[in-house]
Amino acid sequence: MRCIIVTPDRPSHDIADVLTALDAQVIRTNNGKAPDSPDSHYAYAKILAKGIPNSYFLDENVCGANALTHYETTANEIATALKNKVDIIVVPVRTGAALTGISKYFKQHHPSTKVYGVRSHDSAYPTIPELSTGDLPSVADFSDVTGMEVVCAKEAFLMTRRLIREEGLMVGPSSGAATCAALKVPLFLLMPWFRANFRHFFLLKRSCANNLQE
């Protein structure tokens, strides 16, 4: 069996080297077009598939099995690893399949768990293409998603560097964006509590300050 992977030039060459070591043929394009563009790497892959006998074009953007796999495996692994005690999950949005599958699983099996998607946008900084706030593929279904967090690309890249330097995690900007969102979402969820208890919180803080002065 022969495997041909067509990809834009954006992904790391290390990834291509690993795929090549696994006997895949990697064809890198340099156009960086959107998936639905006739000049994109997706379009080129379709042309290859039509010209190669008995070949199949595997498109993660429209394949329902993509989201189903995350529903049956990824979500279950998260729940099992954390002994079904999960408060909040943040998931980077690429094709939307992971967020679709994970949110659907937790909505059905652990409805109290909140699932947030993470996307990226920054007009003044190189964006994270796979998390851009453009149109989503048809495989995405966010009806069970609690909410969406948009992280600026600069913030995500800086967090990625911190994860590498401080935690020894060789991750990419998608993980950096997810970490940024994971730090923000709990604070966002606490805002109603602060609004409801602001007066008592303020009085307590002032009382403590007065006691310290005395």
Side-chain angles (χ1 to χ4, degrees), residues 192-212:
W193 183 90
F194 277 115
R195 291 194 188 100
N197 297 277
F198 177 76
R199 181 173 179 274
H200 302 290
F201 179 76
F202 177 75
L203 291 175
L204 176 63
K205 183 177 180 181
R206 187 168 63 178
S207 175
C208 291
N210 291 337
N211 290 336
L212 288 174

Side-chain angles (χ1 to χ4, degrees), residues 19-196:
L19 294 171
T20 301
L22 295 173
D23 289 333
Q25 179 184 351
V26 179
I27 300 176
R28 302 175 73 95
T29 63
N30 58 6
N31 50 44
K33 300 290 184 179
D36 56 352
S37 169
D39 299 322
S40 70
H41 57 290
Y42 281 95
Y44 184 66
K46 289 179 181 178
I47 293 173
L48 283 178
K50 289 181 179 179
I52 300 175
N54 300 318
S55 63
Y56 296 91
F57 172 61
L58 304 178
D59 188 351
E60 64 177 354
N61 291 294
V62 298
C63 181
N66 192 357
L68 181 61
T69 298
H70 288 289
Y71 175 91
E72 295 179 342
T73 60
T74 310
N76 188 47
E77 288 175 8
I78 294 172
T80 301
L82 298 176
K83 299 180 180 179
N84 298 322
K85 297 178 180 179
V86 187
D87 296 317
I88 303 170
I89 301 174
V90 292
V91 184
V93 178
R94 296 181 66 250
T95 64
L99 181 58
T100 297
I102 292 172
S103 62
K104 189 173 295 295
Y105 176 92
F106 279 92
K107 183 73 171 182
Q108 294 178 359
H109 299 282
H110 306 283
S112 63
T113 300
K114 301 183 184 302
V115 182
Y116 286 82
V118 184
R119 306 198 74 182
S120 170
H121 175 72
D122 196 336
S123 59
Y125 201 80
T127 188
I128 307 172
E130 58 268 30
L131 300 185
S132 63
T133 52
D135 295 334
L136 288 166
S138 59
V139 71
D141 176 7
F142 296 162
S143 57
D144 295 318
V145 175
T146 306
M148 195 71 65
E149 284 293 312
V150 178
V151 176
C152 75
K154 182 177 181 179
E155 185 180 13
F157 280 109
L158 291 175
M159 180 59 73
T160 302
R161 292 182 181 179
R162 285 191 60 189
L163 291 172
I164 295 173
R165 183 174 61 251
E166 299 176 20
E167 303 296 336
L169 299 174
M170 296 300 293
V171 296
S174 295
S175 297
T179 304
C180 290
L183 294 173
K184 292 179 179 179
V185 168
L187 295 177
F188 174 76
L189 294 176
L190 284 173
M191 285 304 295
W193 183 90
F194 277 115
R195 291 194 188 100

